[in-house]
């Protein structure tokens, strides 16, 4: 096997395995706040002038090149922009004026994001980072999505785009909130297995009361936003992460509104299906009516507290009468 390769080989190779390596890092990752990330001191841009092609450098050590790229990705996932920028300088020592667009998506995101963090007063650097992050199709657990959206929000704010900055902050909050509910569920399951688990005993419930109320306020805000975004199913699922006997009046009201919105949407769908069935015959008509029946039965089973359940039951009887016809 040849030890060295030309730069064309480096650019042309498939980098999928690099992304896979990012999820199995051996080093420890320090706990870093996503809201107050480590400070990156202002510094000149590390982005080279792009020429569209990499310099034709023969005898680049392929293994060392890949190790630097992997280090850049790893440091970015650890939210260590200082080291990312240092690794970029090492990369440019290997390949002068490298075309960054030839790198894997995660490495590009790392370099442009950290370069923007070191130049928040430079709109060109920040806008490039926004563009790259918007096209980054990576999700948890490969990347910490709340941190990613919070960083995007900071970039938008630096560009004066308060609307998108606020939207990204809210999304980061909702993602963290979902993780908090997973933690609460895991704590409950741990207590079932070991009721004397340190730090999770039932005796601590009173001390956590204030924190629980604060979480319910967060959940209410997130659920209301989901409802406003025409996502009642998500709002209901989020509220249902709190046991019914622990929900405050505000959560109960929002859940009721979400159920009414969801059921009305489903009833509109049933109506459209029913109208379609009147224009069909044979098997097609029967299948359309059966679909309507299934939706209505689902409403009755899953949302018995719906405010106009009598109308849903009448709709079901009507559909069943049509199904009974030869």
């Amino acid at each position: 096997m040849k030890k060295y390769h030309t730069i064309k080989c480096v650019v042309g190779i498939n980098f999928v395995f690099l992304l896979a390596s990012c999820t199995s890092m051996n080093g420890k990752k320090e706990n870093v706040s996503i809201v107050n990330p480590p400070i990156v001191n202002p510094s000149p841009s590390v982005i080279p002038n792009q020429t569209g092609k990499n310099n034709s450098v023969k005898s680049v050590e392929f293994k060392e090149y890949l190790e630097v790229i992997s280090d850049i990705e790893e440091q970015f996932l650890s939210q260590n922009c200082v080291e990312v920028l240092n690794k970029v300088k090492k990369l440019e020592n290997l390949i002068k004026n490298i075309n960054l667009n030839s790198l894997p998506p995660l490495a590009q995101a790392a370099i442009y994001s950290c370069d923007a963090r070191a130049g928040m007063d430079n709109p060109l650097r920040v806008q490039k980072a926004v563009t790259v992050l918007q096209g980054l199709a990576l999700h948890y657990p490969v990347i910490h999505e709340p941190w990613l959206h919070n960083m995007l929000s900071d970039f938008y704010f630096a560009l004066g785009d308060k609307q998108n900055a606020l939207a990204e902050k809210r999304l980061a909050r909702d993602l963290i909130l979902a993780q908090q509910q997973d933690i609460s569920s895991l704590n409950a399951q741990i207590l079932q297995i070991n009721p004397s688990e340190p730090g999770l005993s039932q005796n601590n419930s009173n001390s956590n009361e204030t924190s629980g109320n604060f979480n319910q306020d967060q959940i209410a805000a997130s659920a209301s936003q989901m409802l406003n975004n025409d996502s009642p199913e998500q709002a209901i699922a989020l509220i249902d992460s709190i046991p019914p006997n622990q929900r405050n009046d505000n959560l109960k009201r929002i859940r009721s509104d979400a159920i009414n919105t969801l059921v009305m949407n489903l009833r509109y769908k049933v109506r459209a299906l029913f109208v379609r069935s009147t224009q069909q015959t044979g098997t097609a008509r029967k299948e359309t009516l059966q679909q309507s029946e299934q939706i209505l039965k689902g409403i009755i089973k899953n949302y018995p507290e719906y405010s106009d359940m009598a109308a849903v039951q009448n709709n079901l009887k009507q559909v069943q009468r049509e199904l009974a016809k030869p």
Side-chain angles (χ1 to χ4, degrees), residues 133-156:
L133 288 177
Q134 285 176 333
L136 187 64
L138 295 178
H139 303 286
Y140 178 85
V142 176
I143 199 164
H144 194 317
E145 289 187 86
W147 163 65
L148 187 70
H149 288 288
N150 188 66
M151 181 165 54
L152 252 177
S153 175
D154 292 341
F155 290 160
Y156 276 125

Side-chain angles (χ1 to χ4, degrees), residues 169-182:
K169 287 285 185 187
R170 285 172 173 164
L171 182 53
R173 179 196 62 191
D174 292 345
L175 289 168
I176 293 175
L177 199 58
Q179 292 176 358
Q180 288 177 340
Q181 298 312 309
D182 285 342

Side-chain angles (χ1 to χ4, degrees), residues 239-266:
I239 294 173
D240 284 354
S241 64
I242 300 293
N245 62 343
Q246 296 180 19
R247 297 171 196 161
N248 59 30
D249 290 340
N250 192 29
L251 281 180
K252 293 177 181 177
R253 178 189 59 79
I254 296 172
R255 188 179 187 277
S256 178
D257 291 343
I259 287 176
N260 286 338
T261 299
L262 174 59
V263 173
M264 286 303 299
N265 290 342
L266 292 173

Side-chain angles (χ1 to χ4, degrees), residues 293-313:
E293 181 185 37
Q294 184 178 9
I295 294 173
L296 292 169
K297 285 184 175 179
I299 293 173
I300 295 172
K301 177 181 178 181
N302 297 318
Y303 309 109
E305 62 270 60
Y306 174 59
S307 58
D308 195 9
M309 184 55 70
V312 176
Q313 292 171 337

